Amino acid sequence: MNKLKKANLYRSELIPISGKLVERYNRCLVKLGFTETKLTSFSIDGIGWSPEIAEEKNEVFYLNNGEANPHAIIITPLQKGLPIYNPFHSFDAELMKLVFRTHQKKIQDITRDSAICVDFDQNIDVFYEPLDVLKYKEVSINFHLIDNLNKARQEQLKLIEIFKKDNNFIDENIHQQLLTSAKKYGDLRNRNITLDSIIYTSDSFYTKAFGGIYLLRNFITPILVFESWEAYQEAIDDTTYDVLMFHILQPELITQLKDHFIIECDLVKEVTSKRYERVKKFIFGEALKETQHSVNDILEDKMLFKSYLNKLDIKNRKKIMSVERYLEKKNIKSDIKIKDIVDQEFYFALHKPHSSLRPNHQDLIWKLLINIAPKDVLFWYWYDKEDFYENFKTWEESKKDWVIETIKNNF
């Protein structure tokens, strides 16, 4: 991953945590019911997730109490606007934006000497079966301070009222209680540290529960798309709900998404796009095995591209050039079918969210399309970084160079 790090493409916006912040972070972990980290320094993203702690605990989603109970830790106002590198839900970034938009000033005040545990409560204590994700409606975002700082403030204010009453100002016992509270928590009189709960209403989303499920509920009929074959098999036996269900690798899914005006594909337009060139080159790169030249040079040099294209077997040549071959034949014979000429995975990779969708739905559908046919390295990096990172490790070195340059040139 060193190449990605040098190019600032690998978790480059994490915040370093050390010193007293580590102690506060550990107190949050304990308050949420987890064990402390033994690390003396680590880094966190916008939701408070740390890749180093995940590695230490050998648990990617160590901030979850089961798949139905995710949490966040806010330890510094610098987390505002940071990426969430391994979200459990596609709306996690929206939740954190809502948190900072609602409580930014209070967060700045509280994190001067404390930290905030965030509980995302969708009123589901535990998942039992895949179709439980249909119960997701409203998410209540609740806040808990370490040391129960808000409770300490109430007690301090109560002591002050007692101090002011009658002749209590000469009571040394009350003096001592006030001093003890002030030494431990500071002067809390003028601090506004009450964080009211926030309600977030979910619509369509992706969750990593049950191996990964897309719930598309804003369309003609609710659609569930499963990444896990086992979860899909379990769900289709459940007749409780009236929903359409697909496994992500079923070709029928693309047809259904087009019929619902969720995705679209105009090959005539797509073939002139930069995205088409990226997909085509990536598929070509997959077909290259032992080469005299670097993969990067072959994909970027037109002369080498043609040379190596002609060295491939006829099956791979037809696959790589299938879109252009189809459009040529279409001009001659109008009734020719796409499926008879264009490679299925190539064709799927050229689809895009329907232009009528709202921006947040477009992002969700881009992620779904990338998971169906991961062939556009730029969108793969944008919409599913963790999966991109895992696959990046397996690629040939000069192919990695091409991928990095392709991403950097399109930012």
Side-chain angles (χ1 to χ4, degrees), residues 211-258:
I213 301 175
Y214 289 86
L215 171 55
L216 311 180
R217 59 155 59 115
N218 300 83
F219 306 100
I220 300 169
T221 305
I223 300 174
L224 283 168
V225 182
F226 296 84
E227 291 185 311
S228 163
W229 181 256
E230 291 76 13
Y232 169 68
Q233 289 291 97
E234 182 181 347
I236 59 175
D237 292 332
D238 189 334
T239 58
T240 308
Y241 301 93
D242 183 20
V243 294
L244 295 173
M245 289 182 273
F246 296 91
H247 184 263
I248 198 166
L249 297 182
Q250 287 181 291
E252 298 85 0
L253 172 60
I254 290 291
T255 302
Q256 195 67 240
L257 293 176
K258 291 179 80 168

Side-chain angles (χ1 to χ4, degrees), residues 14 29 115 123 137 147-148 164 228 275 292 315 345:
L14 293 168
L29 287 176
N123 296 311
K137 293 253 171 55
D147 295 329
N148 294 315
K164 290 178 178 178
S228 163
R275 189 162 71 95
Q292 183 181 350
K315 183 180 179 181
E345 198 170 26

Side-chain angles (χ1 to χ4, degrees), residues 1-4 294-296 392-404:
M1 308 303 282
N2 288 332
K3 288 188 175 185
L4 285 174
S294 74
V295 173
N296 188 37
F392 184 88
K393 296 173 186 176
T394 68
W395 294 332
E396 189 268 338
E397 290 304 311
S398 65
K399 183 177 178 178
K400 292 178 181 178
D401 294 334
W402 174 78
V403 169
I404 287 172

Side-chain angles (χ1 to χ4, degrees), residues 2-10 12 404-405 408 411:
N2 288 332
K3 288 188 175 185
L4 285 174
K5 289 177 181 177
K6 287 179 182 177
N8 278 331
L9 296 177
Y10 185 74
S12 57
I404 287 172
E405 287 305 310
K408 289 179 68 177
F411 262 107

Side-chain angles (χ1 to χ4, degrees), residues 77 100 269 274 367:
F100 276 96
K269 290 181 179 178
K274 288 184 177 181
K367 176 176 170 57

Side-chain angles (χ1 to χ4, degrees), residues 13-15 25 28-29 32 43-51 60-64 70-76 78-89 91-97 99-100 116-120 141:
E13 296 182 71
L14 293 168
I15 299 175
Y25 192 95
C28 283
L29 287 176
L32 290 169
S43 54
I44 61 170
D45 67 2
I47 209 166
W49 176 82
S50 167
V60 175
F61 298 108
Y62 68 90
L63 286 177
N64 283 30
H71 302 92
I73 292 175
I74 302 176
I75 204 164
T76 167
L78 296 177
Q79 288 173 241
K80 178 187 176 185
L82 282 188
I84 297 172
Y85 284 101
N86 209 358
F88 195 78
H89 303 99
F91 52 70
D92 285 353
E94 293 179 53
L95 294 179
M96 294 308 294
K97 285 178 183 177
V99 165
F100 276 96
I116 306 165
C117 304
V118 187
D119 171 31
F120 300 119
I141 309 172

Side-chain angles (χ1 to χ4, degrees), residues 15-54:
I15 299 175
I17 299 297
S18 59
K20 286 188 175 181
L21 293 184
V22 174
E23 179 189 339
R24 292 177 196 168
Y25 192 95
N26 271 330
R27 281 151 73 186
C28 283
L29 287 176
V30 172
K31 192 173 184 70
L32 290 169
F34 308 120
T35 57
E36 296 183 355
T37 176
K38 295 177 182 177
L39 302 177
T40 56
S41 63
F42 49 87
S43 54
I44 61 170
D45 67 2
I47 209 166
W49 176 82
S50 167
E52 294 90 356
I53 295 177

